[in-house]
Amino acid sequence: MSKYIIVAETGADIPAEIVNKYGIKIVPMHVSFGTETKDDMTFPVSDIFDYYHKTGTLPKTAGSTPGDFEIVFDEIHEQYPDKHILHLAYSAITTCSYQSAVIAADGLDYITSIDTKCVSAGQAFLVLTVAEWLEKNPDAPLDVVIEMVNDLINRIHMGFIPGDLVYLKAGGRVSNAAYMGAKILNLSPVIEIVDGKLMSAKKYRGSIMTSGIKLIKEFSETHHLMKDRAIFVYSGDMNPALKEKAENTAKECGFESCMWIQAGCVVSTHSGPGAFGIIGFSEK
């Protein structure tokens, strides 16, 4: 067994089977519906969309607190006193979680927090890749592990097309003029995670089906993605036609396999239902 325990936030949207297989510990982020605040992933994602439909107001998302991390860190150390805690954090630019972990770990030399500069399925794929590496290298020195993680952070790329621009507009991510222009011209913006920030990269014209296929082809080529597996992310209900077309396109592009990750409550609050994206590591 590895001498490391990986910790990540609920906003990483790591599938339960991966969490269970590698013993990953999860720290809650939070979502507020008016005056009521709930732990992320303790309720269905559809509650986000239902709340906006009923109120015209988006829930507010918040990162993990120092107290959230203290609870998880203490439980791990009590159960596994000889293991090192490796916290692979949600992008520090987008939320307070990384800083909260640093505060909670102050003075504790058995905890290392690293800003992955990723969110949602991007963070999930990075965590999975680290977990797989540690399974093969369970006794690797900490400095080697940190170097490996930083190499992955420098090579990971995530791009997605929001499912409904009204969510980005409501959350203040796009102006009303930009929203109206995109609707009139039937444009779908591509959002990329660049150095931890969500950046509008380009726009495709057409449906999510048409735009999604373009994204797979162009994104994988532009970033020279490794072809061992394509990681796809979606929000809300899966579109079976898009899934089939995306997997066929991935095979045409040379990907050996595909993996799907459903976006959780935090990202879905901003992307809306029907979002689609791709994640991968650039070749070395």
Side-chain angles (χ1 to χ4, degrees):
M1 294 180 64
S2 171
K3 65 180 181 182
Y4 299 93
I5 298 286
I6 297 176
V7 171
E9 298 86 355
T10 52
D13 301 331
I14 305 171
E17 60 268 24
I18 294 174
V19 170
N20 295 332
K21 179 177 181 178
Y22 295 103
I24 298 164
K25 305 302 180 181
I26 304 297
V27 181
M29 295 174 77
H30 309 282
V31 182
S32 295
F33 298 81
T35 58
E36 182 183 11
T37 298
K38 300 180 180 182
D39 286 352
D40 179 27
M41 302 309 289
T42 61
F43 56 91
V45 176
S46 58
D47 285 3
I48 300 287
F49 311 139
D50 292 342
Y51 182 82
Y52 180 72
H53 180 72
K54 293 175 182 178
T55 67
T57 303
L58 284 178
K60 295 187 181 299
T61 59
S64 309
T65 68
D68 294 326
F69 279 103
E70 287 174 3
I71 291 171
V72 173
F73 289 164
D74 287 348
E75 287 179 351
I76 294 172
H77 190 59
E78 182 177 352
Q79 188 173 1
Y80 305 101
D82 296 328
K83 291 185 180 289
H84 193 89
I85 297 172
L86 181 64
H87 170 222
L88 301 176
Y90 197 96
S91 171
I93 289 179
T94 64
T95 187
C96 65
S97 293
Y98 171 75
Q99 188 58 42
S100 292
V102 171
I103 293 171
D106 185 38
L108 305 177
D109 61 3
Y110 53 84
I111 300 173
T112 298
S113 286
I114 301 175
D115 175 11
T116 67
K117 302 180 182 180
C118 295
V119 303
S120 186
Q123 185 183 2
F125 187 29
L126 191 142
V127 168
L128 169 60
T129 304
V130 172
E132 291 173 338
W133 190 91
L134 288 174
E135 187 175 51
K136 298 175 181 177
N137 304 274
D139 297 315
L142 180 59
D143 60 337
V144 173
V145 173
I146 292 174
E147 181 180 1
M148 178 270 300
V149 172
N150 285 328
D151 174 65
L152 293 177
I153 292 170
N154 290 332
R155 293 193 293 114
I156 196 166
H157 300 278
M158 175 178 176
F160 71 94
I161 300 169
D164 191 336
L165 287 180
V166 72
Y167 281 74
L168 288 176
K169 175 176 171 287
R173 265 65 177 181
V174 298
S175 68
N176 187 60
Y179 167 74
M180 291 303 297
K183 292 292 285 185
I184 292 171
L185 298 173
N186 194 24
L187 297 176
S188 299
V190 176
I191 309 298
E192 286 195 41
I193 313 301
V194 180
D195 202 26
K197 303 175 186 176
L198 277 66
M199 309 285 288
S200 180
K202 65 185 305 179
K203 296 180 178 68
Y204 291 126
R205 188 186 300 275
S207 67
I208 188 67
M209 178 77 75
T210 301
S211 300
I213 300 310
K214 289 179 181 177
L215 177 65
I216 295 170
K217 294 177 178 178
E218 294 186 10
F219 197 80
S220 60
E221 181 178 347
T222 299
H223 294 292
H224 306 288
L225 298 186
M226 296 175 62
K227 298 299 177 64
D228 56 331
R229 54 188 163 186
I231 306 297
F232 295 130
V233 59
Y234 69 99
S235 64
D237 294 329
M238 168 61 69
N239 180 331
L242 175 58
K243 180 178 182 182
E244 181 180 4
K245 186 66 173 176
E247 291 185 350
N248 288 337
T249 301
K251 290 179 182 178
E252 292 171 5
C253 291
F255 287 99
E256 297 172 13
S257 64
C258 298
M259 175 179 175
W260 291 84
I261 295 177
Q262 184 175 25
C265 301
V266 172
V267 167
S268 294
T269 298
H270 306 294
S271 70
F276 170 79
I278 182 172
I279 303 100
F281 291 106
S282 61
E283 298 174 350
K284 291 186 179 181

